[in-house]
Amino acid sequence: MDSAAKRQQPEIQTPEENHPALNALLGANPFVGLDATQVLGTLGTLLTHIASQPVTVASRALQLTLELGQIIGGVSSVAPEAGDKRFGDPAWTEHPLYHRLMQAYLAWRAAMHDLVNEDESVEWKDVEQQKFALTLLTEALAPTNSFLLNPAALKRAFDTSGMSVVWGLRNFIGDLWSNGGMPSTVDKRPFEVGKNLALSPGAVVFRNPLCEVIQYAPATDKVYERPLLFIPPQINKYYIMDLAPGRSFVEYAVKHGFPMFTISWRNPTPRDRNWGLDEYVTACKDAIAAACEITGSPDCNVLGVCAGGITTSLMLGHLAASGDKRVNAVTLLVTMLDTSLPSMTGMFATEDAINAARERSAEKGVLDGNDMARIFAWLRPNDLVWNYWVKNYLLGNDPAPFDILYWNADSTNLPAKLHEGFLDLFLRNPLTHGGEVAVLGTPIDLRAVKNDIYLVAGMTDHICAWRACYRATRMFGGRIEFVLGSSGHIQSLVNPPGNFKARYYIGTRLPEDPDEWAKSAVENKGTWWDHWIKWVAARSGNERPAPKTLGSELYKAGEPAPGLYVHERH
């Protein structure tokens, strides 16, 4: 077969194709960070713990020895977990040597993880840190990561007359040169924002140094009176909600008659180090002013996502303290406001780690988006590192063109002052108590926020655990609708109608215990988008003729969507 044909690029993939990395994407979250010193220190703590329990270690070593004896004898039942795709090649089950190698690795891996102390007296962060450090070690030593021990890699080399080795080496050198030594997760070449991503028509109607505000063109003859403003996270580009026709939340909302606006954050540089929570909340208020003036509405509905949801919540607290009624109903997606519950976000959120992270960003002026992306990848090593190590280097394949992974790689920086503000929220958890944090000179008490609020969490979200998101139902003073989607962090956002696998759960009560809520929650087929559209429509006023032009006399339409700031990279 012609080598060019073998390396022909596949078609652009979509979320419905069950991409192995999709549930591993951590999305846009302010993060504490970690380095090799932290990981080594955690491993040292674990070794000290192991050394202090010789009886337990000896017992587990004996169990492992007996298991290895059964593996050698061919009578062991050790098998990969259901979601472990590393051992999918038939040789791992059919070839006796490879099968025993796989079982021996899995038995050793399980024995290592059994040594982590999960006693209730141990701080959950310590346990999770030890699990994480051990995961880095055990997953790195998987036989699938070695060319000589991976049957699929050897077959591929034989079938291509050794060319797969050449292609893999080329990919490896390319990533060393242009991707910081990390395996590339996506072929970026087919994508261009404004060409096949972020295509909803509209125009920039407001711009300041922090952000642009985009107004989208109506797609219906009539629109609702009250505009809807999207407040995206600050660490990724806004177009996760406007990926492509048929899967764009913006397109979906506009087609249902909502006057839609979005903020597009600027990618900050070190000279913007002093942009903090006050500046970003002010920018949100400016965007609200623009949306309301253009539509002639006295107030608007807002939708915040993840870190943008945190910013939205702070703004709501400020508006409540100021007696400002310009926000009507609120939607918060995958937003964690209480950091006390176990989550991947809070795993390394210790005082020492936070102080170190604060010092690093203060010295550079920004929290670098590329550094953040590498940290996120190592938090899910099998899905976002070793999976691509095998595919790109051992098998010599190019990464596939996948729009969500392209968006995930299109990261932005976080200004040092904003990073410091988020870190303070993680460390002190002040939003659970009124008056412990201030924005624009006003104390924030979320119980004073009386808006109707629609909360969405993801059942398999690894970064904003749904139980932690559920805690927000006890933090606001208004009427709450809590919806639990059946998928992860990103799939909870990109969840258009038509996906037969999609499910969401709604409960009639909001007890304090999230698991009690789950017991009585009712499963619904389809996407929460369809449920949300009815909820927000009931809070959007009457319908009126759609405007013929965008902008207004005060806020003139300028640069066509997606604007200028979305293209900035540093």
Side-chain angles (χ1 to χ4, degrees):
M1 181 183 296
D2 180 62
S3 62
K6 290 184 181 181
R7 294 173 60 79
Q8 183 178 3
Q9 294 296 330
E11 294 182 358
I12 294 176
Q13 298 180 19
T14 63
E16 292 74 24
E17 294 183 48
N18 195 26
H19 196 284
L22 193 56
N23 264 326
L25 292 185
L26 303 184
N29 291 273
F31 189 69
V32 176
L34 68 144
D35 54 32
T37 303
Q38 286 176 277
V39 175
L40 291 174
T42 301
L43 282 174
T45 301
L46 177 59
L47 290 175
T48 301
H49 161 70
I50 292 173
S52 68
Q53 301 186 65
V55 176
T56 301
V57 173
S59 174
R60 193 64 188 90
L62 177 60
Q63 293 177 27
L64 176 60
T65 301
L66 294 175
E67 187 65 55
L68 291 175
Q70 291 183 324
I71 290 171
I72 293 173
V75 293
S76 173
S77 60
V78 172
E81 298 171 358
D84 192 342
K85 300 182 179 181
R86 293 174 294 176
F87 301 98
D89 190 275
W92 291 113
T93 54
E94 297 173 3
H95 192 285
L97 290 180
Y98 278 119
H99 186 61
R100 285 167 172 78
L101 174 61
M102 175 192 70
Q103 289 186 314
Y105 164 73
L106 293 174
W108 168 78
R109 176 174 172 263
M112 293 294 290
H113 281 277
D114 283 348
L115 297 176
V116 176
N117 186 0
E118 294 199 50
D119 190 278
E120 291 184 359
S121 63
V122 180
E123 170 78 23
W124 73 265
K125 290 183 180 181
D126 293 335
V127 173
E128 292 304 316
Q129 288 176 24
Q130 290 176 16
K131 286 182 179 179
F132 169 69
L134 198 55
T135 294
L136 289 183
L137 174 66
T138 58
E139 307 319 287
L141 295 177
T144 49
N145 298 333
S146 168
F147 178 80
L148 294 178
L149 297 180
N150 190 317
L154 295 175
K155 290 178 188 175
R156 172 78 166 157
F158 179 80
D159 291 342
T160 62
S161 301
M163 287 304 298
S164 65
V165 178
V166 177
W167 297 332
L169 182 61
R170 187 200 67 175
N171 290 342
F172 178 73
I173 294 173
D175 285 337
L176 282 178
W177 179 260
S178 62
N179 201 45
M182 294 288 290
S184 296
T185 61
V186 61
D187 181 0
K188 299 179 181 180
R189 292 172 297 179
F191 299 106
E192 185 177 350
V193 175
K195 297 295 184 182
N196 53 8
L197 298 171
L199 296 181
S200 294
V204 174
V205 293
F206 173 79
R207 178 184 291 128
N208 68 17
L210 269 79
C211 72
E212 294 174 329
V213 176
I214 298 170
Q215 179 187 9
Y216 289 100
T220 54
D221 294 333
K222 292 185 177 181
V223 297
Y224 288 99
E225 292 177 318
R226 188 170 282 125
L228 174 66
L229 173 67
F230 168 43
I231 300 176
Q234 293 92 337
I235 201 66
N236 278 100
K237 303 293 178 65
Y238 80 89
Y239 63 87
I240 184 61
M241 304 302 277
D242 188 28
L243 273 176
R247 295 187 293 113
S248 164
F249 183 89
V250 170
E251 175 193 56
Y252 177 81
V254 169
K255 284 185 175 180
H256 282 81
F258 293 97
M260 184 79 179
F261 294 77
T262 188
I263 291 175
S264 175
W265 299 116
R266 190 166 201 176
N267 194 355
T269 65
R271 68 175 178 270
D272 308 314
R273 63 175 64 240
N274 291 322
W275 293 352
L277 291 171
D278 283 356
E279 287 73 20
Y280 278 88
V281 168
T282 298
C284 293
K285 291 173 63 179
D286 291 341
I288 289 172
C292 289
E293 198 280 336
I294 290 171
T295 59
S297 174
D299 57 13
C300 71
N301 296 326
V302 297
L303 183 152
V305 172
C306 203
I310 297 174
T311 309
T312 301
S313 300
L314 292 171
M315 179 189 68
L316 293 174
H318 164 70
L319 294 179
S322 306
D324 193 324
K325 305 292 186 182
R326 285 183 295 170
V327 171
N328 179 48
V330 180
T331 302
L332 297 178
L333 308 182
V334 291
T335 299
M336 187 174 68
L337 301 176
D338 184 346
T339 60
S340 63
L341 291 183
S343 68
M344 190 172 288
T345 301
M347 178 172 55
F348 285 95
T350 63
E351 188 164 0
D352 289 342
I354 283 178
N355 288 335
R358 183 184 291 116
E359 291 173 3
R360 284 195 298 269
S361 61
E363 181 180 354
K364 295 182 66 174
V366 294
L367 177 65
D368 187 272
N370 292 325
D371 292 344
M372 177 85 67
R374 282 190 284 272
I375 291 171
F376 282 167
W378 282 112
L379 287 175
R380 302 289 295 174
N382 277 344
D383 294 315
L384 295 177
V385 180
W386 298 117
N387 173 51
Y388 292 98
W389 171 276
V390 172
K391 289 183 177 180
N392 299 1
Y393 306 154
L394 304 190
L395 299 179
N397 295 324
D398 289 337
F402 187 41
D403 53 10
I404 289 183
L405 290 179
Y406 177 89
W407 165 84
N408 190 63
D410 192 10
S411 58
T412 62
N413 302 327
L414 211 62
K417 190 175 179 181
L418 180 63
H419 185 216
E420 181 180 11
F422 279 136
L423 291 176
D424 182 66
L425 295 178
F426 275 105
L427 182 62
R428 295 196 301 113
N429 199 21
L431 295 180
T432 55
H433 304 285
E436 293 191 4
V437 65
V439 171
L440 293 172
T442 58
I444 303 303
D445 181 2
L446 296 185
R447 292 297 300 174
V449 175
K450 304 299 183 181
N451 308 77
D452 288 356
I453 299 180
Y454 190 97
L455 300 174
V456 176
M459 185 180 296
T460 59
D461 191 337
H462 299 288
I463 190 68
C464 293
W466 79 265
R467 291 175 179 85
C469 294
Y470 181 86
R471 293 293 287 270
T473 63
R474 319 296 298 180
M475 296 171 66
F476 292 100
R479 292 183 298 172
I480 306 294
E481 181 82 60
F482 182 78
V483 178
L484 180 61
S486 60
S487 52
H489 194 83
I490 301 302
Q491 286 172 304
S492 293
L493 306 178
V494 186
N495 195 8
N499 180 5
F500 70 93
K501 296 181 180 179
R503 299 287 188 277
Y504 64 93
Y505 300 81
I506 298 176
T508 56
R509 302 185 304 113
L510 292 174
E512 185 171 356
D513 184 357
D515 290 306
E516 184 180 342
W517 173 89
K519 289 178 182 177
S520 60
V522 177
E523 178 185 286
N524 296 269
K525 295 181 179 180
T527 169
W528 63 266
W529 286 18
D530 289 332
H531 181 263
W532 171 85
I533 210 75
K534 297 175 183 177
W535 182 90
V536 75
R539 293 159 177 82
S540 296
N542 298 320
E543 290 184 315
R544 64 184 183 185
K548 302 298 183 183
T549 59
L550 300 180
S552 67
E553 192 65 28
L554 183 59
Y555 295 95
K556 290 181 168 46
E559 181 78 21
L564 297 178
Y565 286 176
V566 74
H567 297 291
E568 290 185 341
R569 294 182 174 85
H570 302 297

